[in-house]
Amino acid sequence: MRGPGPRLPALPALLWLALAPLPGPAARAELRVRVRLPGGQVTEESLQADSGADCVSLELRAADGALVTLTADFRQEVKIFRALILGELERGQSQFQALCFVTRLHRNEIIPSESMAKLRQKNPRTVRQAEEVRGLEHLSMDVAVNFSKAAQLSSHIHNVCAEAREAIYTREEDVKFWLEKGVDGSMFEVLPQGSDLPELQRCRLCLDRWKPCICSYSLSIEWYPCMLKYCRSRDAGGKVSSYKCGIRSCQKGYTFDYYVPQKQLCLWDEET
């Protein structure tokens, strides 16, 4: 594969950016990447990009069996995390439990959808680990999102969070940002906090499975293209220009704290 200048330099164990133009005004693409989890297991991660809708999504199965999805809606500046968590049937839970966490998408968190749609693998069998580990982010999700009204915030919430319609959470500080952009505030409901209910405990400390508490859920995006890499070329006249020639990969973990009406909805968060 050639860029605008000399042949691309060797970038072993990386993804390459196909520099050919997209086939048409917009493109959809899917890439499957083998990723090593912290415990040593290897899982397959799916990366999808839709440059027309200006969004990307990543999906992988965590070591505990949970299916984790990240959807980045660049147009609306919205990030959607979804977790499908295996239920504990012997403890009265359903087969799986779905959670959605919606936060503001900041610039330069992940590569643009158009660049993601152009990604190609040099060696699909390579097991990849992130080049950069970004710090753990701890988020207090103190607002519930009404599923029936959430399409105005992001059209992707309807599909991504369909199984979690009663468990969609966001943060008050992100709500303020979206309200300034003109989003309808009636879709948001502030959840009870410890300052409102002094008896409200962390679920891991709560002994009664039917009492409300503050739940914590942690997830990790083990591998994602977080930055573009640029190479330089020199033309016959000696003029130097740069072009996209690869990506930098990152890993990032998140912990979400949020209110649940009963500990039964948060059985994974127990003191050990």
Side-chain angles (χ1 to χ4, degrees), residues 36-199:
R36 190 174 303 281
L37 298 174
Q41 309 99 310
V42 174
T43 190
E44 187 175 74
E45 184 172 309
S46 169
L47 295 85
Q48 297 183 342
D50 186 337
S51 60
D54 200 12
C55 72
V56 303
S57 67
L58 301 87
E59 185 169 88
L60 76 157
R61 192 168 294 279
D64 62 1
L67 188 65
V68 174
T69 304
L70 165 62
T71 300
D73 181 347
F74 293 93
R75 189 170 292 165
Q76 294 298 107
E77 298 179 86
V78 169
K79 222 174 32 227
I80 308 164
F81 298 91
R82 184 193 65 184
L84 298 180
I85 305 159
L86 296 177
E88 298 185 44
L89 301 180
E90 69 279 4
R91 300 179 71 181
Q93 290 190 321
S94 57
Q95 188 173 3
F96 70 88
Q97 187 173 340
L99 300 172
C100 263
F101 304 105
V102 184
T103 64
R104 177 184 175 184
L105 176 65
H106 294 274
R107 290 181 179 272
N108 302 321
E109 285 192 66
I110 191 168
I111 67 171
S113 59
E114 183 177 344
S115 297
M116 185 81 83
K118 294 179 181 179
L119 287 178
R120 301 292 181 269
Q121 287 196 83
K122 185 180 181 183
N123 183 1
R125 299 302 302 165
T126 299
V127 178
R128 306 182 188 278
Q129 287 186 282
E131 299 166 87
E132 177 184 338
V133 177
R134 294 191 166 177
L136 174 70
E137 197 167 350
H138 201 134
L139 305 172
S140 178
M141 310 302 282
D142 46 11
V143 176
V145 181
N146 187 315
F147 175 78
S148 64
K149 299 179 180 180
Q152 185 188 154
L153 181 58
S154 172
S155 59
H156 303 285
I157 293 177
H158 186 266
N159 292 326
V160 176
C161 301
E163 297 95 343
R165 59 183 63 212
E166 300 299 327
I168 307 174
Y169 306 97
T170 188
R171 300 187 299 168
E172 193 168 359
E173 62 187 85
D174 292 329
V175 169
K176 290 177 181 176
F177 169 75
W178 293 320
L179 291 178
E180 290 174 0
K181 292 183 64 178
V183 170
D184 180 8
S186 67
M187 76 177 74
F188 303 112
E189 179 187 353
V190 177
L191 293 167
Q193 304 300 308
S195 56
D196 305 322
L197 301 171
E199 71 277 11

Side-chain angles (χ1 to χ4, degrees), residues 233-241:
S233 65
R234 190 184 302 271
D235 62 19
K239 182 180 179 181
V240 176
S241 61

Side-chain angles (χ1 to χ4, degrees), residues 169-260:
Y169 306 97
T170 188
R171 300 187 299 168
E172 193 168 359
E173 62 187 85
D174 292 329
V175 169
K176 290 177 181 176
F177 169 75
W178 293 320
L179 291 178
E180 290 174 0
K181 292 183 64 178
V183 170
D184 180 8
S186 67
M187 76 177 74
F188 303 112
E189 179 187 353
V190 177
L191 293 167
Q193 304 300 308
S195 56
D196 305 322
L197 301 171
E199 71 277 11
L200 198 60
Q201 293 180 294
R202 293 273 177 178
C203 290
R204 69 175 66 95
L205 303 175
C206 184
L207 300 178
D208 187 342
R209 278 199 281 165
W210 306 107
K211 288 187 68 174
C213 52
I214 300 296
C215 184
S216 287
Y217 184 75
S218 297
L219 59 82
S220 178
I221 306 300
E222 294 299 335
W223 190 98
Y224 67 98
C226 52
M227 295 174 63
L228 294 172
K229 287 186 176 181
Y230 290 85
C231 295
R232 290 185 175 185
S233 65
R234 190 184 302 271
D235 62 19
K239 182 180 179 181
V240 176
S241 61
S242 63
Y243 59 95
K244 301 168 189 175
C245 60
I247 57 98
R248 182 172 182 80
S249 58
C250 291
Q251 178 271 334
K252 187 168 178 62
Y254 300 84
T255 294
F256 302 96
D257 292 344
Y258 60 99
Y259 171 87
V260 289

